[in-house]
Amino acid sequence: MTSQIWPAPAITSNLAAVRATSPLVFGLTNYIAAPLSANVLLAVGASPAIGGIPSAAEHFAGIAQGVWINLASLVADDPGILIGVAKAASARQTPWVLDPVTVGAGATANDRLAAELVELRPGVVRGNASEVIALAGGTGGTKGVDSTASAEEAIPFAQSLARKTGGVVAVSGPTDYITDGEAVVAVPGGHVNLTRVTGTGCSLGALVAAFAGVVPDRLQAAVSAHAVLAVAAERAAAIAPGTGSFSVALLDQLSLLDAAA
């Protein structure tokens, strides 16, 4: 296992590539996370588009550089839209990210949809430990949208899931772990306030999609996205007196990250 944190050269160069390219990143996400996800993407220089018009979803998935699908999206009551977006992205060989929100919490239809999306081979699966364990066939056990398992427990399940999809699986926790099925990269850091602001995990899925849209190495793209959010969270927590101001400071710090500095 290796470890990466900001400002490792690969991470800083990948952020510079996102800022220079300004990839269009299309997402299906939930109404709670949509504003923060869009602002996180804007803060790193990407161009967000969040699907609220079902008839346009596949079109935007086909023209975007990166796509992310959150199972708790605004259009989740019509699973065909999520499947259509995944297929449209795959048809254009556009990297897409699956965020399996609440998988393993007992919502059977949601779990079935997640399994169907996995069969479409997402470029990256990004979730908490319980979600990843459940998606890989284990017993994760979630508390709503929160994990009851540790990120370390999820590593072998993440490796198994990555081998199945042929992509990358990222497990969020106090230390994040990202794997392509063989290599495992740890990204330490971040701050507990990330768990106290709604939508930060969903926004991380969007951030991974932005990096995957410009970085051919999916493992390094996911590692870079996690490391960028981790360092921004640490810097935000150092100056924010509470969770409300932390949310604003997080966006500020993402926008201010500069390898040259």
Side-chain angles (χ1 to χ4, degrees):
M1 183 184 299
T2 60
S3 179
Q4 288 192 39
I5 60 172
W6 177 275
I11 297 169
T12 57
S13 66
N14 289 340
L15 176 60
V18 172
R19 294 203 191 282
T21 308
S22 190
L24 173 63
V25 185
F26 176 72
L28 298 177
T29 192
N30 60 75
Y31 67 92
I32 294 174
L36 183 60
S37 297
N39 285 328
V40 162
L41 288 172
L42 289 168
V44 297
S47 177
I50 293 178
I53 305 174
S55 60
E58 290 185 28
H59 168 73
F60 277 96
I63 64 173
Q65 282 73 59
V67 172
W68 90 98
I69 298 174
N70 183 313
L71 282 189
S73 74
L74 290 163
V75 292
D77 59 341
D78 186 350
I81 295 174
L82 279 68
I83 297 295
V85 164
K87 288 182 175 179
S90 296
R92 296 290 298 271
Q93 297 187 323
T94 301
W96 65 279
V97 177
L98 173 62
D99 189 341
V101 176
T102 73
V103 166
T108 305
N110 194 54
D111 290 357
R112 283 200 300 265
L113 175 57
E116 191 171 351
L117 287 166
V118 164
E119 293 300 321
L120 296 175
R121 300 169 69 87
V124 182
V125 175
R126 189 229 65 83
N128 66 36
S130 290
E131 292 162 348
V132 169
I133 290 171
L135 198 57
T139 304
T142 66
K143 180 184 177 183
V145 298
D146 297 324
S147 180
T148 57
S150 72
E152 289 75 16
E153 290 176 75
I155 292 174
F157 293 93
Q159 290 176 297
S160 173
L161 184 59
R163 287 191 289 268
K164 178 178 181 178
T165 63
V168 169
V169 177
V171 184
S172 298
T175 294
D176 302 325
Y177 296 98
I178 300 97
T179 181
D180 60 3
E182 300 300 331
V184 179
V185 181
V187 179
H191 194 271
V192 69
N193 278 355
L194 286 170
T195 67
R196 296 170 177 164
V197 174
T198 298
T200 54
C202 301
S203 299
L204 179 54
L207 198 60
V208 172
F211 277 81
V214 300
V215 179
D217 183 334
R218 300 284 166 79
L219 179 64
Q220 189 57 55
V223 167
S224 297
H226 282 73
V228 161
L229 187 67
V231 69
E234 291 172 355
R235 295 179 180 185
I239 59 175
T243 56
S245 53
F246 171 81
S247 182
V248 175
L250 179 66
L251 295 174
D252 286 342
Q253 294 304 316
L254 283 170
S255 69
L256 293 170
L257 279 181
D258 181 359

